[in-house]
C-alpha cells in the first residue's frame, strides 16, 4: 500500500469529468486500497480518485477515519439516484485545505454503484454520510465544494490558493 499525493485546488485533474471504470481489476483494487490509506493518513472522511490524479469514477469513504476496523469502503462508478431534504453545514476538502464553508446538501441520498468485486451496491445514506457521498461524487464530475459558494467567496479562495502555489514555485 502507498500514501498518494493529494492534488490541491488549481490542478487541472480536479476540474475534469472522470471516466467510468469499465473493468474492476487488481489495478482498481490497489488504487482503492491506496486511496483508503491516503484518506486515513490525511486524515479525511472521503476521497475521490481525481484527487490523487486518476481521472476515474472511484471514491472511498470512512466516517470513522480509520478508527473502526471495516468501516472504510469504496464505490466504483457511484451515482445518486434519489435525494431528499436539505441540510446546511460546514464542509471542507482535502484538496482545499483549511477552508471550511457552509454548503447545502440533501439530508438523504440513495447511491448506486459497484463494490470492488463488481457486485451492485445500493447505499441509503443520511446526514454526514449523505454529505460525504455527495461531496465525493461531485469530485468525479470535476466539481469542488467551493463551486457551491457565492462567486465572491469562491474567487477569494481561488486567489489565495493561486498565491500559495506561486510562492511555492518561487521558493
Ligand atoms: Zn473534496
Amino acid at each position: 500500500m502507498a500514501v498518494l499525493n493529494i492534488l490541491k485546488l488549481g490542478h487541472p485533474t480536479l476540474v475534469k469529468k472522470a471516466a467510468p471504470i469499465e473493468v474492476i481489476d487488481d489495478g482498481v483494487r490497489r488504487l482503492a486500497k491506496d486511496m483508503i490509506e491516503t484518506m486515513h493518513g490525511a486524515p479525511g472522511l472521503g476521497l475521490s480518485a481525481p484527487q490523487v490524479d486518476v481521472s476515474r469514477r472511484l471514491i472511498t469513504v470512512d466516517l470513522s477515519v480509520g478508527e473502526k476496523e471495516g468501516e472504510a469502503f469504496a464505490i466504483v462508478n457511484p451515482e445518486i439516484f434519489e435525494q431528499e431534504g436539505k441540510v446546511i453545514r460546514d464542509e471542507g476538502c482535502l484538496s482545499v485545505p483549511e477552508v471550511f464553508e457552509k454548503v447545502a446538501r440533501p439530508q438523504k441520498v440513495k447511491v448506486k454503484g459497484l463494490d470492488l468485486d463488481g457486485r451492485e451496491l445500493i447505499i441509503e445514506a443520511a446526514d454526514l454520510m449523505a454529505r460525504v457521498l455527495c461531496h465525493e461524487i461531485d469530485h468525479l464530475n470535476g466539481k469542488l465544494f467551493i463551486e457551491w459558494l457565492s462567486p465572491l467567496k469562491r474567487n477569494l479562495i481561488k486567489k489565495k490558493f493561486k498565491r500559495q502555489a506561486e510562492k511555492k514555485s518561487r521558493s
Side-chain angles (χ1 to χ4, degrees), residues 17-35:
K17 192 175 157 87
I21 291 176
E22 309 284 354
V23 182
I24 301 170
D25 56 12
D26 285 345
V28 171
R29 284 185 277 270
R30 194 175 324 121
L31 173 63
K33 271 190 187 160
D34 288 346
M35 280 170 60

Side-chain angles (χ1 to χ4, degrees), residues 4-86:
L4 307 167
N5 179 43
I6 298 175
L7 302 181
K8 300 295 182 301
L9 174 63
H11 193 287
T13 303
L14 291 174
V15 291
K16 227 168 99 177
K17 192 175 157 87
I21 291 176
E22 309 284 354
V23 182
I24 301 170
D25 56 12
D26 285 345
V28 171
R29 284 185 277 270
R30 194 175 324 121
L31 173 63
K33 271 190 187 160
D34 288 346
M35 280 170 60
I36 288 171
E37 199 182 345
T38 304
M39 170 178 83
H40 285 161
L45 304 172
L47 192 66
S48 64
Q51 287 176 281
V52 294
D53 208 8
V54 179
S55 197
R56 291 286 179 274
R57 303 185 84 80
L58 172 66
I59 65 170
T60 58
V61 178
D62 182 354
L63 294 192
S64 85
V65 202
E67 289 298 311
K68 282 192 223 154
E69 192 83 33
E71 283 283 295
F73 64 96
I75 317 175
V76 176
N77 301 336
E79 223 179 285
I80 296 166
F81 66 96
E82 259 182 66
Q83 58 181 67
E84 187 187 313
K86 186 170 115 176

